[in-house]
Every structure is written in C-alpha cells, then in structure tokens.
Amino acid sequence: MTTTPIETAGAGEDDQLSRSAYDHLWMHFTRMSTFETEPVPTIARGDGMYIYDTNGRKYLDGLAGLFVVQAGHGRVELAEAAYKQAQELAFFPLWAHAHPAAIELAERLAHYAPGDLNRIFFTTGGGEAVETAWKAAKQYFKLTGKPMKHKVISRSIAYHGTPHGALSITGIPDAKKYFEPLVPGAFRAPNTNFYRAPEHGDDLEAFGRWAADQIEQAILFEGPDTVAAVFVEPVQNSGGCFPPPPGYFQRLREICDRHDVLLVSDEVICAFGRLGTMFACDKFDYVPDIITCAKGMTSGYSPIGAAIFSDRIMEPFLQGSQYFPHGYTFGGHPVSARVALANLDLFEREGLNDHVLANEDAFRATLEKLYDLPIVGDVRGNGYFYGIEMVKDKTTKETFDADESERLLRGFLSKALFEAGLYCRADDRGDPVIQLSPPLIADQAHFDEIEQILRSVLTEAWTKI
C-alpha cells in the first residue's frame, strides 16, 4: 500500500468548505438542519483501512465507505486502470454498439456467476440494477405468453434502492411515504430475523422453512399467475444483517420453480467478497434466475452495476424483432468497466475472498465479546458483514421506543462513534443496530480496534438510557 502525505486544509479553509457544503451540497439521506450550526464531516482521502478528514484526523473505515471499498483505499493500480482507459476511450454507450472493456467484463462476470447466468446488462448502480431486473421479468413473461405475471414479492424492512420501481420493492415504509403512489404490484413477506422469532424457539431450520413458506403464501394469495419474481438479499441489509437459516434458499428455489416465479438474488451489497465468495448465492448454495450487483465490483473506484440474467430469460429477447426497450447512458461505462476488471484481477492476485473466509470466524468472535455489555442483544451476519442489535433488556429483548431510539442513535451514537475514530452505521430501520462492513483487507488488529471503540462508546451509551 502506497502512503502519501496527508494533505489538510487550514482552519479557515476547512470552515469555508463546511459552510459551502451546507449552502450548496444536498447530502443523501441526511438531515440538512443538523449542519446549520455544526461542521459537515468532510473526508479528504483514504489509505488502506483508514480515511482522513480535512483536519488530518484518522478514522477506521468500518463500513467500507458504504459496503463498497472491498480492496481498501488508495489502490493505485485501480486509479491507473481508469487513467489508461480514459486515454484510450473515455466514453461510448452500449446502445447497439459494444466496446472491449464491457465485453471483457461481461465475459468475466458470466464466468463467476453460477449456473447459466451468462447475460449481463450493465447499469451505473444497484438501484438501477434492481429496476432493470423487474422490468426484464415483466417483459419476459409477456413474451412467453404469461402477460399477467408482473408482481413481485420482497421481504419486510428490506432495502432494494431508490428509483420508483426499486423503491416499490423496498420494504421500509418511512423510505417510501413521501414518494407514494409508487409502482403497483409489490408485496411483502416476513424476513429472516431469527432474533425476533421467539415462537420457533431454538430451531433455526424450522424457522427457515416457515420464513420461506411465508413467501409461498404471498405468491398463492396474489395468485401465481400474477407474480413474476421474488427479490431477496442473501444477507438482508436493512434491519441489521439477517443471514438466511439453513435450507432457506433451497426451499425458496423449490417454491419459485413450482410457481414459475423468477428468483432474484439482490447482491448489491453481498457480492464481490463481502461474504467471502464472488457471488453470495454460492455461499448459500443456490442458483437464482437473476443477480443484481454493484458496489464492490470496482471497490468503489468508479460507479458501475449490473443485472445478470440466465440464458432462459434472455432467450425470448433473441427472437426476431424483440428487444428490451431499456438502458442507461453510462451503463457499462468504459472507464468503470476497466476499473472493475483491474479490481477483479486484484481479488484473484491477493486472494481477498479466501482472506475473508479465513478470518470471518475471528471477526464474529471479536464482535461477540461485546455480549458482556447490557446494551448488546444480538450479533449477527456473515463474512465481513455484521449487525449488532441494541436492546433495553437482554432477557426480554425489549427494544427502544421511537424517542429513545432517536436519542440513542442520532443524538449520541452516530457522532460518538465517529469522534472515537470509527466510521460505521447506526441505524433504526427496524430495531436499533450498528452495522459493520470493513474493507476485505481487514485483519485481527482491525477487528480488535473496532471492538475496543464499540465497547467504549456502547458502555457510555448505556449510561445515557
């Protein structure tokens, strides 16, 4: 890893940047009023596992930016790949034309993908990939003589993106209420939050069967002749990293096959090493009909996403005058595609997937040390993707009410963790959780640093309840 000197702004310049950010920059998912009187945290650079603000202060990146920077910050070879490609061909669309970088990346992704998922439709991000998957599923069934199949089933509290179609699939009411009415035809089933499923006791497999069967019940209730697809994340992000119970995806695959419903594996977060495999469906031994992915494909060094389709879905689009009237100007951008290829080369050269598989148990064990704190109710996840659920009472699993959650997460934890040197995510879409998703280069020393900061801040948080 090449380390460069920290370039920081002077105090006056830093204040000016913060003021300009508040005056002109509309930050995403952000309460802008927060920064009317407080400075905007401004990150100037990154190196390896760490990021640095404009004052030169160092923070451990416990979220890989936003589940993105798999290979770590400051990878010069990825920047050089972008520079070289931009010199050769900075841009050309994939509208009835191709370019070498997109062709090579499509072939590479088809090689990694399971089964017959051989057709790659490039986007610029994950929400667009989900949007693409739903539109393609609708048209596929129209082309194959089942025009009523247009609905989708997703899971409670699941996040699938912000475009109107993807937002309709999303299962978070607060994320949708300002934008309704949305695209009709999206329905919800229970997720795999075993911590909040006391009626199943300790039988994780029975819970998994029940959770999968609830999706079948939703299909049957809506009518199998109207349901096109089921959208599920391998490990559900929103709500705090819900892993699938044993056998869950095998049963879900059977259900989808029985009712001729497409199984979409939304791997925008979970693909490209987050769980230790290139595609997360391989970790849990199932073959979907469609994979949506983005984020880690380039380790965040340039934006790109993709929907990956099986040969079966592609087949009717290859006939006669049929085509998919859908696309994005920057989908499969030459620079992004070339960076993705360089990133995948880096994955193989440095064995990042194997590194995650070799260290995931140590990561879990280190986080599980926090169970001795009264505020920690559950530690769950897979690979390098974990959520820590906070509770008021460990015995009863009593959670915080809305006011307490507001004071705990936004009033204290988010700022306190950052000030303590850890960038991560405190979230209450569902029950209050802290989410961790470090770059895939993390090792035991980083796990220990994360645990020590969490221990200190959570101990203080408990005194404020």
Side-chain angles (χ1 to χ4, degrees), residues 26-48:
W26 197 339
M27 289 172 280
H28 303 195
F29 288 94
T30 298
R31 293 182 182 180
M32 294 297 294
S33 63
T34 302
F35 301 111
E36 184 176 5
T37 57
E38 293 188 13
V40 176
T42 305
I43 303 303
R45 75 174 193 93
D47 184 49

Side-chain angles (χ1 to χ4, degrees), residues 67 86 99 103 221 252 272 274 283 326 330 380 459:
F67 319 106
H99 54 76
I103 296 169
F221 182 80
L252 194 53
F272 306 111
R274 181 54 48 197
K283 185 80 175 279
H326 173 71
F330 295 110
R380 56 180 177 256
T459 298

Side-chain angles (χ1 to χ4, degrees), residues 256-280:
C256 289
D257 288 343
R258 181 157 57 243
H259 300 295
D260 193 18
V261 170
L262 303 180
L263 177 56
V264 184
S265 188
D266 184 354
E267 305 198 10
V268 171
I269 288 176
C270 292
F272 306 111
R274 181 54 48 197
L275 306 186
T277 51
M278 203 61 83
F279 288 110

Side-chain angles (χ1 to χ4, degrees), residues 203-346:
D203 194 337
L204 187 57
E205 290 192 26
F207 170 67
R209 289 193 298 273
W210 173 86
D213 288 347
Q214 296 311 297
I215 292 179
E216 182 170 36
Q217 289 304 308
I219 294 171
L220 292 171
F221 182 80
E222 291 302 321
D225 60 337
T226 72
V227 178
V230 169
F231 281 73
V232 286
E233 297 167 277
V235 174
Q236 182 174 314
N237 167 41
S238 187
C241 302
F242 302 139
Y248 174 81
F249 275 110
Q250 287 68 38
R251 194 170 185 90
L252 194 53
R253 179 71 270 179
E254 292 172 3
I255 290 166
C256 289
D257 288 343
R258 181 157 57 243
H259 300 295
D260 193 18
V261 170
L262 303 180
L263 177 56
V264 184
S265 188
D266 184 354
E267 305 198 10
V268 171
I269 288 176
C270 292
F272 306 111
R274 181 54 48 197
L275 306 186
T277 51
M278 203 61 83
F279 288 110
C281 53
D282 287 335
K283 185 80 175 279
F284 302 119
D285 193 27
Y286 67 97
V287 179
D289 300 292
I290 306 171
I291 294 173
T292 55
C293 57
K295 294 186 182 290
M297 195 190 307
T298 65
S299 286
Y301 283 70
S302 191
I304 199 168
I308 305 177
F309 297 93
S310 69
D311 290 338
R312 175 170 70 99
I313 296 173
M314 186 67 203
E315 197 278 332
F317 292 91
L318 299 175
Q319 305 304 312
S321 62
Q322 300 298 345
Y323 76 110
F324 187 28
H326 173 71
Y328 301 100
T329 298
F330 295 110
H333 191 282
V335 173
S336 295
R338 190 60 66 188
V339 172
L341 287 162
N343 182 56
L344 296 172
D345 286 344
L346 188 155

Side-chain angles (χ1 to χ4, degrees), residues 114-129:
D116 68 342
L117 278 79
N118 292 315
R119 189 68 62 155
I120 287 76
F121 190 103
F122 285 116
T123 67
T124 59
E128 290 179 354

